[in-house]
Amino acid sequence: MDITRLLKAWGQGDEGALEQLIPLVYTQLRAQARHYMRGERSGITMQSTALVHEVYLRLTSAQDVNCHDRVHFFALSSRIMRRVLVAAARPP
């Protein structure tokens, strides 16, 4: 199924669309996560897979997400990844 069509269905409240979407974009999300992890200080315990899974959890709990296309989706995912990494870098 087309990614843009799944994004629109998800934006209209179809939770199953996100579940169908993730396998289609997982590889690219992992590549994004690896890119961000390369820029992190050494000693960070989070791995790129965990970062992608955190993005998924935040997307599933988000309300009123309306991605126009795949570029918008990956921009949103990148923003979430940066926020997760910033929160992880803060001292407890």
Side-chain angles (χ1 to χ4, degrees):
M1 186 171 223
D2 180 57
I3 291 174
T4 302
R5 203 169 332 148
L6 287 170
L7 287 168
K8 289 182 189 231
W10 176 46
Q12 295 171 350
D14 181 357
E15 294 176 16
L18 182 61
E19 291 177 24
Q20 292 176 33
L21 175 69
I22 293 302
L24 299 176
V25 297
Y26 188 79
T27 302
Q28 192 165 351
L29 288 174
R30 287 273 321 268
Q32 275 185 316
R34 281 192 304 273
H35 171 77
Y36 283 117
M37 295 305 292
R38 273 189 230 115
E40 287 300 303
R41 61 180 164 71
S42 62
I44 190 165
T45 59
M46 184 176 287
Q47 295 179 352
S48 58
T49 301
L51 184 55
V52 171
H53 291 194
E54 184 63 31
V55 169
Y56 176 76
L57 290 173
R58 291 185 184 208
L59 287 171
T60 57
S61 65
Q63 296 181 9
D64 298 327
V65 176
N66 191 6
C67 293
H68 307 290
D69 54 25
R70 65 186 299 139
V71 172
H72 188 211
F73 173 78
F74 286 112
L76 174 63
S77 298
S78 289
R79 191 174 322 128
I80 294 170
M81 286 181 194
R82 287 190 304 270
R83 288 179 183 169
V84 168
L85 290 172
V86 166
R90 288 191 181 119

